[in-house]
Amino acid sequence: MKKKALITGILGQDGPYLAKLLLGKDYEVYGLIRRYANPNFSNTDYLGITDKINFISGDMTDEASIINIIKAIHPDEVYNLAAQSFVGVSWDQSKVTTEINALGVLYLLNAIKYFSPTTKFYQASTSEMFGNSHIEGLQTEETPFYPRSPYAIAKLYAYWIVINFKESYGMYCANGILFNHESPIRGMEFVTRKITDGVARIKLGLSKEIYLGNLDSKRDWGFAGDYVEAMWLMLQQEKPDNYIISTGETHSVRDFLDIAFKYAGIDNWEKYVKLDPRFRRPAELFSLHGKNDKAREVLAWEPKVKFNELVKMMMEADLKRLSVK
Ligand code: NAP
Ligand code: G4F
């Protein structure tokens, strides 16, 4: 019999990459989607998998819908990727961010505990939980957490409630502490995609400039396609655990701009980039740089796509998309 996986956040960035991976492993894939007047399947379309997914309607903030879905499917594995995932917005919409990112996880865990207790559970935890905390410039599984946004605080609740259900009820629950990961289907508001879309527009004469916030922030940017493999591996281990998933390299927003403009063949990028205080955060994370030794050793996982290749992949996709319009 085929294994059944439920993916929440199926229409976001990671959901489609994970669904594609699981379909390739012959899973039956269920995807939870919210009710929309006009749902947007562009990301699953991009990966050519829309008609292979069993979409099921529900909402992370509606406990009864979550219970009904778990009861109906009895999935072997649940990957909880749904979130209000944009850090910047979490200060303005802190309640809904908390409801989705923290309470939604509790609803899922309770539904599994009562109605499908052998289901394995993956939680999309985040390097944002570290804030500016580090050990000699790096974040490891042992680095103390110090969240700096309503988003990160809600995610920290989720991280601990996952551990608590594992320890209290013997459930199979794993946290992937993922550092930033990107792709051609990254949401447009995140800095990488904003840059590749913006540079492609400038290159094609569709726009004159890009408005950005803090260019000195540093992130450990990897490729989403590599990171979903780590999610799956975490649920194939004998015992559940928590793992950092990162590239082990850190780069600034400026570095990203350098490579993107270079790829487009545009010199002196500074004249196209305008600083706009609207895109600065009330509290910033200055540098994320993850040590991924545990994932390499235990999961035999390693990132494949390098930083330069990632920027080029995203630039190429945005140039292609905008050229055919
Ligand atoms: P994303 O593109 O923003 O996708 C999030 C998905 O969650 C969207 O499909 C969204 O649905 C869904 N969602 C939001 N609220 C919901 C609700 N109330 N009920 C049901 N679904 C809801 O995020 P991503 O980049 O794929 O990230 C996946 C997960 O990993 C998120 O939990 C994120 O916080 C976490 N994470 C991401 C990164 C990263 O760098 N990408 C790093 C660490 C952790 P709609 O399409 O309907 O809006
Ligand atoms: O692309 P970002 O918005 O990603 P951020 O805040 O690091 O969060 C992402 O990664 C987290 C993992 O560490 C996830 F948990 C989270 O869900 C999300 O996927 O911003 C990256 C950096 C920040 O320092 C920001 O201040 O870029 C800086 N930045 C500078 N100008 C900008 C802009 N960010 C955005 N979004 N827009 C700008 O104009």
Side-chain angles (χ1 to χ4, degrees):
M1 225 170 57
K2 283 188 174 194
K3 271 192 178 177
K4 288 188 276 188
L6 169 67
I7 302 175
T8 72
I10 188 74
L11 300 182
Q13 173 188 249
D14 291 1
Y17 279 104
L18 177 63
K20 187 158 184 154
L21 178 90
L22 297 181
L23 287 164
K25 294 183 185 298
D26 209 28
Y27 278 63
E28 206 172 305
V29 176
Y30 293 80
L32 181 147
I33 55 172
R34 300 194 259 192
R35 192 269 161 190
Y36 277 104
N38 293 301
N40 180 351
F41 294 96
S42 59
N43 288 352
T44 49
D45 286 346
Y46 182 85
L47 292 182
I49 54 168
T50 306
D51 60 355
K52 298 185 179 68
I53 295 166
N54 303 293
F55 291 104
I56 185 155
S57 173
D59 195 300
M60 292 299 292
T61 61
D62 185 324
E63 189 169 18
S65 75
I66 299 296
I67 290 171
N68 285 333
I69 288 167
I70 296 296
K71 275 171 85 171
I73 305 175
H74 278 284
D76 296 284
E77 296 169 7
V78 170
Y79 295 87
N80 181 35
L81 310 184
Q84 189 302 92
S85 76
F86 189 47
V87 175
V89 148
S90 75
W91 278 275
D92 304 322
Q93 298 181 25
S94 52
K95 181 168 182 263
V96 77
T97 301
T98 306
E99 284 172 349
I100 300 167
N101 298 8
L103 287 181
V105 184
L106 179 66
Y107 300 159
L108 262 174
L109 288 169
N110 267 324
I112 292 170
K113 176 187 164 205
Y114 289 117
F115 301 107
S116 191
T118 56
T119 295
K120 294 179 171 183
F121 184 79
Y122 171 85
Q123 169 58 17
S125 287
T126 165
S127 47
E128 277 286 316
M129 300 186 303
F130 293 118
N132 289 322
S133 185
H134 62 86
I135 298 167
E136 294 174 356
L138 285 164
Q139 288 88 24
T140 75
E141 285 85 0
E142 276 68 53
T143 303
F145 296 122
Y146 193 127
R148 301 249 298 163
S149 64
Y151 166 82
I153 292 164
K155 283 282 188 178
L156 190 58
Y157 169 86
Y159 173 88
W160 281 116
I161 200 70
V162 162
I163 292 176
N164 183 257
F165 270 60
K166 176 177 76 168
E167 292 177 352
S168 305
Y169 309 117
M171 287 167 51
Y172 192 113
C173 303
N175 277 296
I177 307 173
L178 271 55
F179 283 60
N180 300 50
H181 46 280
E182 321 292 311
S183 73
I185 55 169
R186 181 59 145 152
M188 285 287 182
E189 72 270 61
F190 298 97
V191 75
T192 54
R193 188 74 196 285
K194 191 171 165 183
I195 292 172
T196 58
D197 176 70
V199 175
R201 282 175 194 279
I202 292 168
K203 172 74 180 171
L204 298 171
L206 302 171
S207 173
K208 288 193 169 29
E209 53 225 352
I210 311 174
Y211 291 84
L212 294 172
N214 182 8
L215 305 188
D216 297 315
S217 278
K218 293 173 99 181
R219 291 290 182 271
D220 182 326
W221 278 297
F223 171 51
D226 288 346
Y227 284 35
V228 297
E229 213 176 315
M231 298 175 187
W232 176 75
L233 283 168
M234 279 180 226
L235 296 197
Q236 313 314 311
Q237 305 306 305
E238 201 179 314
K239 285 191 182 152
D241 206 345
N242 310 312
Y243 298 89
I244 279 188
I245 302 299
S246 67
T247 66
E249 280 184 25
T250 188
H251 296 275
S252 66
V253 174
R254 277 178 205 283
D255 296 338
F256 199 103
L257 282 161
D258 255 337
I259 300 175
F261 274 103
K262 220 169 256 157
Y263 181 86
I266 300 171
D267 296 328
N268 302 323
W269 60 257
E270 285 82 357
K271 66 181 179 210
Y272 300 101
V273 172
K274 309 286 175 218
L275 297 183
D276 187 331
R278 282 180 306 154
F279 300 115
R280 293 188 79 92
R281 311 240 163 114
E284 178 64 282
L285 266 59
F286 303 115
S287 177
L288 289 176
H289 188 182
K291 198 159 188 274
N292 58 21
D293 294 13
K294 182 174 172 184
R296 283 178 185 271
E297 279 159 30
V298 182
L299 303 178
W301 175 86
E302 60 176 12
K304 296 185 186 82
V305 176
K306 303 290 287 179
F307 181 64
N308 277 21
E309 293 164 356
L310 175 68
V311 184
K312 286 178 189 163
M313 181 201 301
M314 294 174 70
M315 275 303 307
E316 196 174 17
D318 275 326
L319 280 167
K320 189 171 165 198
R321 178 180 57 88
L322 291 164
S323 300
V324 293
K325 282 206 169 149

